[in-house]
């Protein structure tokens, strides 16, 4: 943690007892002076995060499109940033390498209802559990959004995710990861993107631009956390509208309802959902689980009575708070540390 944030924590403790006091005013002044940090400070031995462009030039389908990318902070607590991005014409990966990487990697696809990409709650907040403690190298994806004027808009999130998987594998040696042990984890609408990669990894949704595009886009394993899956009766209305428009035809609804796309080439899946989710109904995970069972795909499903939507790692309580350990144990089964394991 940034040392000034430690000072802020001390001030918060004092000022909560007396809002409007001098301590509170000092807290506000220091907070306003701090920069907006993109990620937690790396622990000793960990590499500083690096942002990498996905495409060597304009992204396919976005040529000539003028978009002003925004990063919007929604949190008043500098120790708990909650930023989102939109206006994304130049998608990217942010690479978080742990101090003791074990050779495995996870492509992280945050949610945001296909209206924005949440950067912290379902991105940087994962670093302590999955990178620092779990040893995975994380690649957090900022992907293009379908409602921002791109051509072939329904498939630009999938194009970016296919490209991200291929780029990670192309540069695996540089990042010290095993190209065969790269999985994907998606949250909410990002779960729809990740499940699209799981079920549509063989589809050509963009013209190849370089040698990386000759590599396999199939993830080794998939984790879906309160995912958007269905575009029909159990759809999240906002995600469906952004992806398919106001009045999609029945063929489009079926094609983008990903329980209909599961086949024998779908990788193993870890599903996590709260049954009281009133934003993305739990039926989304149940429909996908039934399709996996029908296709004979290995999977693990974790349903919790309480948790709502968007809990990520920060807002998970009770036994739900243990989900990162369950996920890491499952990842270990799917992809044991490989030949690219780094020395401590």
């Amino acid at each position: 943690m940034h040392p000034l944030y430690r000072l802020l924590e001390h001030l918060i403790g004092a000022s909560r007892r007396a809002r409007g006091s001098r301590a509170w005013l000092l807290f506000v002044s220091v907070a306003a002076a701090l920069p907006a940090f993109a990620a937690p400070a790396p622990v000793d031995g960990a590499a500083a995060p690096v942002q990498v462009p996905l495409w060597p030039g304009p992204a396919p389908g976005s040529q000539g499109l003028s978009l002003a990318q925004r990063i919007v902070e929604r949190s008043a607590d500098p120790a708990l940033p909650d930023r989102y991005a939109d206006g994304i014409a130049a998608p990217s990966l942010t690479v978080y390498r742990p101090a003791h990487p074990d050779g495995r990697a996870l492509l992280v696809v945050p949610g945001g209802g296909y209206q924005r990409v949440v950067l912290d709650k379902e991105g940087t907040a994962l670093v302590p559990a999955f990178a620092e403690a779990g040893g995975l190298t994380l690649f957090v994806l900022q992907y293009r959004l379908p409602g921002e004027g791109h051509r072939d808009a329904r498939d630009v999130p999938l194009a970016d995710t296919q490209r991200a998987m291929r780029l990670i594998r192309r540069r695996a040696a540089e990042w010290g990861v095993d190209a065969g042990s790269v999985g994907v984890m998606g949250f909410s609408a990002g779960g729809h993107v990740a499940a699209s990669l799981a079920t549509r990894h063989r589809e050509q949704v963009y013209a190849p631009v370089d040698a990386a595009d000759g590599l396999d886009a199939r993830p080794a394993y998939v984790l879906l956390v309160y995912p958007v899956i269905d575009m029909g009766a159990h759809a999240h209305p906002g995600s469906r509208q952004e992806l398919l428009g106001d009045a999609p035809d029945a063929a489009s609804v079926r094609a983008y309802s990903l329980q209909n796309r599961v086949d024998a080439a779908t990788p193993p899946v870890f599903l996590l959902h709260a049954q009281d989710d009133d934003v993305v109904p739990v039926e989304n995970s149940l429909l996908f689980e039934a399709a996996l069972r029908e296709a004979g795909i290995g999977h693990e499903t974790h349903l919790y009575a309480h948790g709502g939507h968007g809990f990520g790692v920060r807002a998970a309580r009770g036994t739900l708070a243990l989900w990162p350990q369950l996920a890491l144990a499952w990842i270990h089964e799917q992809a044991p540390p490989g030949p690219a394991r780094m020395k401590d």
Side-chain angles (χ1 to χ4, degrees):
M1 180 182 291
H2 194 282
L4 286 177
Y5 284 163
R6 297 192 187 279
L7 171 61
L8 287 174
E9 285 185 336
H10 173 74
L11 291 171
I12 290 168
S15 60
R16 275 178 180 160
R17 295 188 294 273
R19 285 180 177 263
S21 67
R22 291 176 64 187
W24 176 253
L25 294 174
L26 178 57
F27 161 70
V28 172
S29 299
V30 174
L34 281 175
F37 290 98
V43 298
D44 291 344
V50 176
Q51 191 169 26
V52 178
L54 275 191
W55 305 94
S62 300
Q63 298 92 336
L65 182 63
S66 178
L67 281 176
Q69 180 163 335
R70 299 190 307 163
I71 304 291
V72 178
E73 174 61 84
R74 299 181 291 186
S75 173
D77 185 348
L80 294 172
D82 181 19
R83 299 164 303 138
Y84 72 79
D86 60 13
I88 301 168
S92 64
L93 289 169
T94 303
V95 186
Y96 299 91
R97 299 185 66 191
H100 305 290
D102 66 9
R104 293 167 303 166
L106 194 59
L107 171 60
V108 177
V109 190
Y114 277 129
Q115 298 178 4
R116 60 188 67 88
V117 177
V118 175
L119 300 178
D120 295 306
K121 289 200 314 183
E122 296 161 356
T124 63
L126 303 175
V127 171
F130 286 90
E132 293 169 4
L136 277 70
T137 300
L138 300 187
F139 297 83
V140 178
L141 178 63
Q142 288 189 38
Y143 53 95
R144 289 172 292 164
L145 299 164
E148 295 191 329
H150 311 279
R151 294 187 298 279
D152 301 318
R154 293 176 176 180
D155 288 334
V156 294
L158 175 58
D160 288 344
T161 312
Q162 286 185 353
R163 171 69 182 179
M165 183 61 66
R166 290 166 173 147
L167 189 63
I168 293 167
R169 287 181 166 144
R170 178 70 174 177
R171 300 175 62 176
E174 172 187 343
W175 287 317
V177 301
D178 176 2
S181 297
V182 185
V184 64
M185 177 160 59
F187 297 80
S188 194
H192 191 270
V193 181
S196 296
L197 182 67
T199 57
R200 302 177 59 199
H201 51 86
R202 293 172 296 187
E203 292 184 29
Q204 183 172 333
V205 293
Y206 67 91
V209 298
D210 59 23
D213 291 324
L215 299 178
D216 192 357
R218 181 183 184 271
Y221 50 90
V222 183
L223 298 96
L224 303 177
V225 184
Y226 39 84
V228 172
I229 296 294
D230 187 42
M231 289 289 147
H234 303 292
H236 171 238
S239 295
R240 178 173 58 193
Q241 195 280 332
E242 291 292 325
L243 187 66
L244 301 182
D246 293 329
D249 57 53
S252 296
V253 168
R254 178 170 178 79
Y256 288 87
S257 294
L258 298 176
Q259 70 270 24
N260 301 320
R261 308 301 288 269
V262 173
D263 63 16
T266 301
V269 177
F270 177 101
L271 285 159
L272 177 71
H273 219 125
Q275 296 179 66
D276 64 351
D277 190 330
D278 61 357
V279 177
V280 177
V282 70
E283 282 80 8
N284 282 264
S285 285
L286 296 177
L287 287 167
F288 203 68
E289 194 271 343
L292 294 168
R293 201 162 6 104
E294 179 71 20
I297 303 301
H299 62 282
E300 194 167 290
T301 304
H302 296 267
L303 302 179
Y304 290 80
H306 304 291
H309 187 74
F311 50 78
V313 293
R314 290 179 180 171
R317 301 288 183 265
T319 55
L320 179 58
L322 301 175
W323 81 261
Q325 292 96 305
L326 294 173
L328 284 166
W330 183 82
I331 292 170
H332 275 256
E333 289 187 356
Q334 310 310 313
R341 181 181 173 88
M342 304 290 286
K343 298 291 185 182
D344 288 353

Coordinates of all heavy atoms in Angstrom, one line a residue, residues 198 220-224 266-271 288 292 297-301 330 334:
A198 N -14.9 -19.5 -24.3 CA -14.9 -21.0 -24.0 C -15.7 -21.8 -25.1 O -15.3 -22.9 -25.5 CB -15.6 -21.2 -22.7
A220 N -7.4 -23.0 -21.3 CA -7.2 -24.3 -20.7 C -8.3 -24.6 -19.7 O -8.6 -25.8 -19.5 CB -5.8 -24.3 -20.0
Y221 N -8.9 -23.6 -19.1 CA -10.0 -23.7 -18.1 C -10.7 -22.4 -18.0 O -10.1 -21.3 -18.4 CB -9.4 -24.2 -16.7 CG -8.3 -23.3 -16.3 CD1 -8.5 -22.2 -15.5 CD2 -7.0 -23.6 -16.6 CE1 -7.4 -21.4 -15.1 CE2 -5.9 -22.8 -16.2 CZ -6.1 -21.7 -15.4 OH -5.1 -20.9 -15.0
V222 N -11.9 -22.4 -17.4 CA -12.7 -21.2 -17.4 C -13.4 -21.1 -16.1 O -13.9 -22.0 -15.5 CB -13.8 -21.3 -18.5 CG1 -14.7 -20.1 -18.6 CG2 -13.2 -21.6 -19.9
L223 N -13.4 -19.9 -15.5 CA -14.1 -19.5 -14.3 C -15.1 -18.5 -14.6 O -14.7 -17.4 -15.1 CB -13.1 -19.1 -13.2 CG -12.1 -20.1 -12.7 CD1 -10.7 -19.9 -13.5 CD2 -11.8 -20.1 -11.2
L224 N -16.4 -18.7 -14.2 CA -17.5 -17.8 -14.5 C -18.1 -17.4 -13.2 O -18.7 -18.3 -12.5 CB -18.5 -18.4 -15.5 CG -17.9 -18.9 -16.8 CD1 -19.0 -19.6 -17.6 CD2 -17.3 -17.8 -17.6
T266 N -15.5 -27.5 -25.5 CA -15.6 -26.5 -24.4 C -14.7 -27.0 -23.3 O -14.7 -28.1 -22.9 CB -17.0 -26.4 -23.9 OG1 -17.9 -26.0 -25.0 CG2 -17.1 -25.4 -22.8
P267 N -13.8 -26.1 -22.8 CA -12.9 -26.5 -21.7 C -13.6 -26.7 -20.4 O -14.8 -26.3 -20.2 CB -11.9 -25.3 -21.6 CG -12.5 -24.2 -22.4 CD -13.6 -24.7 -23.2
P268 N -13.0 -27.2 -19.3 CA -13.6 -27.4 -18.0 C -14.0 -26.0 -17.4 O -13.3 -25.0 -17.7 CB -12.6 -28.1 -17.2 CG -11.3 -28.0 -18.0 CD -11.6 -27.8 -19.4
V269 N -15.0 -26.0 -16.6 CA -15.6 -24.7 -16.1 C -15.9 -24.8 -14.6 O -16.3 -25.8 -14.1 CB -17.0 -24.4 -16.9 CG1 -17.6 -23.2 -16.4 CG2 -16.7 -24.3 -18.4
F270 N -15.6 -23.7 -14.0 CA -15.9 -23.4 -12.6 C -17.0 -22.3 -12.6 O -16.8 -21.2 -13.1 CB -14.6 -22.9 -11.9 CG -14.8 -22.6 -10.4 CD1 -14.4 -23.5 -9.4 CD2 -15.3 -21.3 -10.0 CE1 -14.5 -23.1 -8.1 CE2 -15.4 -20.9 -8.7 CZ -15.0 -21.8 -7.7
L271 N -18.1 -22.6 -11.9 CA -19.2 -21.7 -11.9 C -19.5 -21.2 -10.5 O -19.5 -22.1 -9.5 CB -20.5 -22.3 -12.4 CG -20.6 -22.5 -13.9 CD1 -21.7 -23.6 -14.3 CD2 -21.0 -21.2 -14.6
F288 N -26.2 -22.9 -18.0 CA -24.9 -23.3 -18.5 C -24.4 -24.6 -17.9 O -23.8 -25.5 -18.6 CB -23.9 -22.2 -18.2 CG -22.7 -22.2 -19.1 CD1 -22.8 -21.9 -20.5 CD2 -21.4 -22.5 -18.7 CE1 -21.7 -21.8 -21.4 CE2 -20.3 -22.5 -19.5 CZ -20.5 -22.1 -20.9
L292 N -23.3 -28.1 -19.9 CA -22.0 -28.7 -19.6 C -22.2 -30.2 -19.3 O -21.5 -31.1 -19.8 CB -21.3 -28.0 -18.5 CG -20.8 -26.6 -18.8 CD1 -20.3 -25.9 -17.5 CD2 -19.7 -26.5 -19.8
I297 N -18.9 -32.2 -20.2 CA -17.7 -31.3 -19.9 C -17.5 -31.3 -18.4 O -18.4 -31.0 -17.6 CB -17.9 -29.9 -20.4 CG1 -18.2 -29.9 -22.0 CG2 -16.8 -29.0 -20.1 CD1 -17.1 -30.5 -22.8
G298 N -16.3 -31.5 -17.9 CA -16.0 -31.4 -16.5 C -16.3 -30.0 -16.0 O -15.9 -29.0 -16.6
H299 N -16.9 -29.9 -14.8 CA -17.2 -28.6 -14.3 C -17.5 -28.8 -12.8 O -17.7 -29.8 -12.2 CB -18.5 -28.0 -15.0 CG -19.7 -28.9 -14.8 ND1 -20.0 -30.0 -15.5 CD2 -20.8 -28.7 -13.9 CE1 -21.1 -30.5 -15.2 NE2 -21.6 -29.8 -14.2
E300 N -17.5 -27.6 -12.1 CA -17.7 -27.5 -10.7 C -18.6 -26.3 -10.5 O -18.3 -25.2 -11.0 CB -16.4 -27.4 -9.9 CG -16.5 -27.6 -8.5 CD -15.1 -27.7 -7.9 OE1 -14.4 -28.7 -8.1 OE2 -14.7 -26.8 -7.2
T301 N -19.7 -26.5 -9.7 CA -20.7 -25.4 -9.6 C -20.8 -25.1 -8.1 O -21.1 -26.0 -7.3 CB -22.1 -25.8 -10.1 OG1 -21.9 -26.2 -11.5 CG2 -23.1 -24.7 -10.0
W330 N -9.3 -25.5 -7.5 CA -9.8 -26.0 -8.8 C -8.8 -25.8 -9.9 O -8.5 -26.7 -10.7 CB -11.1 -25.4 -9.1 CG -11.8 -26.0 -10.3 CD1 -12.5 -27.1 -10.4 CD2 -11.8 -25.4 -11.6 NE1 -12.9 -27.3 -11.7 CE2 -12.5 -26.2 -12.5 CE3 -11.2 -24.2 -12.1 CZ2 -12.7 -26.0 -13.8 CZ3 -11.4 -23.9 -13.5 CH2 -12.2 -24.8 -14.3
Q334 N -6.8 -28.3 -12.7 CA -6.9 -28.2 -14.2 C -5.6 -28.0 -14.8 O -5.3 -28.5 -15.9 CB -7.9 -27.1 -14.6 CG -9.2 -27.1 -13.9 CD -9.9 -28.4 -13.9 OE1 -10.0 -29.0 -15.0 NE2 -10.4 -28.8 -12.8

